[in-house]
């Protein structure tokens, strides 16, 4: 009986092995920040279809969302993450600095600064814009209440701060005085972007809300165009949420190829279309023209050119003792 | 120790207690200390004695004390009503007391903020009198009162239940006035539980984050609580500084709990 069983088993294994090799079940974990939930739900489905067609493998992508800095910390603390798609390059830099899970030059590994889609900071105002807010200089007028989260705890708030700073630079005003005047008009510093949205939208506090463009569109769609309007200032900042493969994890799990393909797929026509339909500005001109008609063109400065990159911007403005702390100092 | 108890086993139960306490409380907390120690002494002092940090202690401690005091008084009255009187709906009130424990604190914060905002039910009335609650220290205290409400009620209630009303009747029949009965008979007996409730409420208030950040407005130097400052340090990946501030919170809580514990022993000895 034993002798009969052995060849039988060998044959069974020989047959079963290539079958399992042919159709692998792969899971990836994408750790992202709060407002990208809808974007990646749609994108993950599209990628799974594409990958199945290309390789025959089934890929399931799990998503995790939260504050960008908090997400980076979970990665540093050992959450096994194949790819990160965060709000700021600084948060991915921290993954290099504190955990050495990916190389220092991670941002060069994908096209366009590793940011497949971009966004910007716009103003959300109440219907008919009762305070007549058109541009950044309207925000420092007395009697205007500005809602923006705390740049120390919110990635989005740092874009807001830098955009205001860039406007002052452009108009030859003292940027620190300008930003200080702006924060004088801030009645509450929420700890995160969603909290600030609640303060403005639900609580009815403030005249203008400095918001990610995609978040502003979501508010408009979900809470009604009869209540709010989007105002695009004459100058804003090019917010580049970056993506990266976490080398240490993909090498351990053997998922480097699929993880890299996943992020590259964001740059394809399909990926760019999904980004545009979720109100992120696609990098690709054609996709922008085809799907992004609702984006208002405005002058956009970059962190790299105006502020010398995220590391420098973080150190000058948001680290302890930086310009933001000085605003509230004596 | 063994000879005082008919059931033995002190050695093994004490060993178990120490092991469990170490694994669940002492080891996790000591990592806070270890991480804070990775800083130089000068850096540590600069972090914990920074003006912003000092003001945040002030806000946090003041609000926690206020909340604990308010709950001490209201909690005592509430416990008194629940133990001394029978009335319709008592069991409903009794159950409602613990609800703040069940609610996610962020929900409490958002709800209170909505109520007390100038557009909210209570806030709109208060606004007519020029009283502002949200985004002030009053708001922080309010959130902490809500969060720590069950502590005093629940620690005083059993003591009052054990205190038989015959004692009060005896005092009255011996000619004590109502105030005298209260101060000479009742308070000395329930004082230790009042102190415990107060201490728990205070310590819990020190560490509260979720509900406060919504109602406080988080304005630097004005309504910034220490836990927020700790999160701020974590956002900058500055683990050591975060743990240094956490250590200060722990030390404050431990000192208060310890001192009140000593006070309780003192009161018991007096009796």
């Amino acid at each position: 009986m034993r002798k009969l069983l052995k060849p039988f088993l060998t044959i069974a294994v020989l047959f079963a092995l290539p079958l399992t090799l042919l159709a692998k079940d792969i899971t990836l974990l994408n750790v992202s920040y709060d407002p990208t939930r809808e974007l990646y739900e749609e994108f993950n489905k599209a990628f799974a279809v594409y990958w199945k067609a290309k390789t025959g493998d089934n890929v399931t992508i799990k998503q995790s969302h939260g504050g960008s800095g908090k997400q980076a910390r979970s990665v540093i603390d050992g959450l096994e993450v194949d790819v990160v798609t965060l709000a700021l390059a600084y948060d991915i830099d921290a993954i290099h600095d504190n955990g050495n899970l990916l190389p220092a030059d991670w941002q060069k590994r994908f096209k366009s600064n590793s940011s497949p889609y971009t966004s910007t900071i716009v103003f959300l105002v109440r219907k008919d814009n009762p305070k007549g807010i058109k541009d950044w200089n309207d925000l420092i007028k007395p009697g205007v209440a500005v809602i923006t989260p705390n740049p120390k705890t919110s990635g989005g708030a740092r874009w807001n701060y830098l955009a205001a700073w860039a406007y002052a630079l452009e108009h030859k005003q003292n940027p620190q005085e300008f930003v200080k005047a702006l924060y004088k008009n801030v009645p509450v510093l929420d700890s995160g972007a969603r909290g600030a949205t609640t303060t403005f939208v639900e609580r009815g506090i403030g005249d203008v809300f400095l918001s990610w463009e995609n978040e502003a569109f979501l508010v408009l769609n979900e809470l009604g165009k009869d209540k709010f309007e989007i105002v695009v200032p004459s100058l804003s900042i090019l917010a580049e949420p970056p993506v990266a493969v976490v080398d240490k994890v993909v090498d351990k799990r053997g998922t480097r190829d699929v993880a890299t393909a996943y992020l590259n797929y964001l740059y394809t026509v399909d990926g760019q279309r999904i980004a545009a339909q979720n109100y992120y500005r696609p990098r690709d001109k054609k996709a922008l023209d085809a799907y992004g008609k609702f984006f208002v063109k405005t002058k956009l400065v970059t962190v790299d050119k105006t502020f010398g990159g995220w590391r420098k911007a973080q150190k000058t403005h948001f680290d302890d003792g930086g310009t933001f702390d000085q605003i509230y100092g004596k | 120790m063994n000879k005082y108890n008919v059931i033995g086993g002190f050695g093994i139960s004490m060993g178990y207690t120490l092991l469990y306490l170490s694994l669940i409380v002492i080891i996790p907390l000591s990592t806070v200390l270890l991480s804070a120690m990775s800083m130089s002494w000068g850096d540590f002092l600069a972090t914990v004695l920074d003006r912003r940090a000092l003001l945040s202690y002030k806000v946090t401690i003041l609000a926690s004390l206020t909340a604990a005091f308010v709950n001490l008084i209201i909690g005592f009255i509430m416990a008194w009503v629940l133990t001394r009187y029978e009335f319709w709906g008592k069991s409903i009130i009794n159950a409602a007391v613990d609800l703040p424990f069940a609610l996610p604190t962020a929900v409490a914060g958002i709800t209170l903020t909505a109520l007390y905002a100038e557009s909210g039910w209570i806030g709109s009335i208060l606004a007519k009198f020029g009283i502002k609650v949200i985004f002030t220290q009053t708001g922080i205290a309010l959130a902490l009162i809500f969060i720590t409400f069950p502590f005093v009620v629940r620690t005083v209630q059993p003591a009052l239940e054990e205190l038989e009303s015959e004692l009060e009747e005896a005092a009255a029949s011996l000619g004590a006035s109502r105030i005298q009965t209260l101060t000479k008979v009742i308070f000395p007996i329930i004082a230790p539980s009042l102190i415990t409730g107060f201490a728990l409420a205070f310590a819990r208030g020190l560490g509260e984050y979720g509900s406060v950040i919504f109602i406080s407005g988080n304005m630097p130097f004005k309504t910034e609580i220490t836990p927020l400052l700790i999160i701020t340090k974590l956002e900058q990946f500055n683990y050591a500084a975060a743990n240094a501030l956490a250590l200060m919170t722990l030390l404050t809580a431990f000192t208060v709990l310890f001192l009140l514990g000593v006070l309780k022993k003192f009161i018991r000895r007096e009796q």
Side-chain angles (χ1 to χ4, degrees), chain A residues 23-307:
Chain A
K24 274 187 293 186
D25 283 319
I26 312 163
T27 52
L28 287 183
L29 177 59
N30 173 8
V31 160
S32 196
Y33 61 108
D34 267 328
T36 56
R37 190 173 279 108
E38 294 80 9
L39 163 66
Y40 279 106
E41 265 166 21
E42 205 178 331
F43 178 73
N44 290 346
K45 276 182 211 147
F47 178 72
V49 171
Y50 159 79
W51 195 248
K52 176 92 186 162
K54 196 182 168 203
T55 65
D57 295 344
N58 298 311
V59 58
T60 319
I61 299 118
K62 290 187 188 145
Q63 297 168 253
S64 160
H65 297 271
S68 188
K70 198 183 110 247
Q71 295 291 72
R73 271 198 309 285
S74 342
V75 179
I76 293 166
D77 290 342
L79 181 66
E80 289 218 330
V81 171
D82 304 277
V83 296
V84 285
T85 53
L86 296 178
L88 309 170
Y90 173 71
D91 289 327
I92 303 184
D93 280 339
I95 296 175
H96 165 76
D97 294 349
N98 294 283
N100 206 14
L101 299 170
L102 37 74
D105 67 344
W106 61 270
Q107 205 162 5
K108 297 211 177 82
R109 297 199 294 179
F110 289 94
K111 274 185 289 178
S112 317
N113 250 346
S114 286
S115 301
Y117 44 80
T118 68
S119 189
T120 187
I121 300 303
V122 298
F123 302 162
L124 195 65
V125 297
R126 304 203 183 275
K127 185 70 192 171
D128 298 329
N129 199 355
K131 296 265 164 118
I133 290 156
K134 297 254 153 43
D135 213 344
W136 290 98
N137 53 353
D138 294 318
L139 303 188
I140 62 169
K141 288 179 182 160
V144 174
V146 184
I147 302 299
T148 171
N150 190 339
K152 290 230 153 194
T153 50
S154 156
R158 282 175 225 166
W159 293 113
N160 297 350
Y161 183 100
L162 294 179
W165 190 281
Y167 174 88
L169 281 177
E170 176 89 5
H171 289 81
K172 308 268 182 303
Q173 297 189 45
N174 179 337
Q176 192 156 358
E177 290 302 316
F178 185 86
V179 174
K180 187 172 181 171
L182 195 158
Y183 275 84
K184 267 225 170 85
N185 284 343
V186 176
V188 38
L189 285 170
D190 283 290
S191 60
R194 277 281 151 93
T197 311
T198 311
T199 299
F200 183 74
V201 172
E202 307 278 336
R203 218 69 76 228
I205 293 166
D207 303 304
V208 51
F209 171 45
L210 308 186
S211 168
W212 287 96
E213 186 175 46
N214 59 303
E215 188 91 343
F217 276 114
L218 281 184
V219 169
L220 232 54
N221 284 345
E222 276 167 31
L223 296 152
K225 290 174 179 145
D226 51 334
K227 285 190 194 143
F228 303 101
E229 279 176 22
I230 292 177
V231 173
V232 181
S234 68
L235 175 148
S236 194
I237 196 156
L238 182 72
E240 300 175 288
V243 300
V245 168
V246 183
D247 291 54
K248 278 245 172 96
V249 177
V250 292
D251 287 344
K252 189 179 151 200
R253 299 189 61 218
T255 48
R256 181 181 281 275
D257 289 345
V258 56
T260 310
Y262 175 71
L263 293 185
N264 270 323
Y265 196 65
L266 283 166
Y267 292 90
T268 63
V269 179
D270 229 13
Q272 294 286 293
R273 173 184 58 79
I274 293 169
Q277 284 169 352
N278 283 280
Y279 306 112
Y280 279 95
R281 296 186 177 212
R283 285 284 194 183
D284 183 58
K285 279 260 157 47
K286 272 186 225 152
L288 183 66
D289 293 340
Y291 306 107
K293 292 193 185 74
F294 43 84
F295 292 119
V296 177
K297 282 206 179 86
T298 186
K299 184 172 181 182
L300 298 175
V301 301
T302 65
V303 173
D304 286 349
K305 273 203 189 125
T306 312
F307 299 96

Side-chain angles (χ1 to χ4, degrees), chain A residues 69-70 72-73 76-77 90-91 94 98 150 152-153 158 183 186-191 195 199 202-205 314 318-320 324-325 328-330, chain B residues 51-52 109-111 113-115 117-119 132 134-135 209 213-214 216-222 224 228 231-239 241:
Chain A
K70 198 183 110 247
R73 271 198 309 285
I76 293 166
D77 290 342
Y90 173 71
D91 289 327
N98 294 283
N150 190 339
K152 290 230 153 194
T153 50
R158 282 175 225 166
Y183 275 84
V186 176
V188 38
L189 285 170
D190 283 290
S191 60
T199 299
E202 307 278 336
R203 218 69 76 228
I205 293 166
Q314 173 74 27
F318 307 118
D319 273 356
D320 285 344
F324 179 72
D325 280 352
Y328 283 99
K330 270 175 263 180
Chain B
R51 191 169 84 93
R52 194 160 177 178
I110 290 174
T111 312
T113 312
L115 267 182
E118 273 181 44
S119 55
K132 204 169 172 266
I134 57 165
F135 313 145
Y209 175 74
I213 50 158
F214 289 100
S216 68
N218 307 320
M219 299 310 277
F221 304 108
K222 287 194 193 106
E224 204 170 50
L228 177 71
I231 300 287
T232 301
K233 302 285 179 199
L234 286 177
E235 288 291 334
Q236 294 166 67
F237 305 98
N238 194 345
Y239 296 83

Side-chain angles (χ1 to χ4, degrees), chain B residues 123-131:
Chain B
S124 57
I125 300 170
L126 291 176
K128 283 178 194 149
F129 300 98
I131 302 169

Side-chain angles (χ1 to χ4, degrees), chain B residues 95-141:
Chain B
V97 168
D98 287 329
L99 285 182
F101 276 165
L103 204 65
T105 52
V107 176
I110 290 174
T111 312
L112 288 172
T113 312
L115 267 182
Y116 284 87
E118 273 181 44
S119 55
W121 285 359
I122 305 177
S124 57
I125 300 170
L126 291 176
K128 283 178 194 149
F129 300 98
I131 302 169
K132 204 169 172 266
V133 175
I134 57 165
F135 313 145
T136 65
Q137 297 188 11
T138 321
I140 302 176

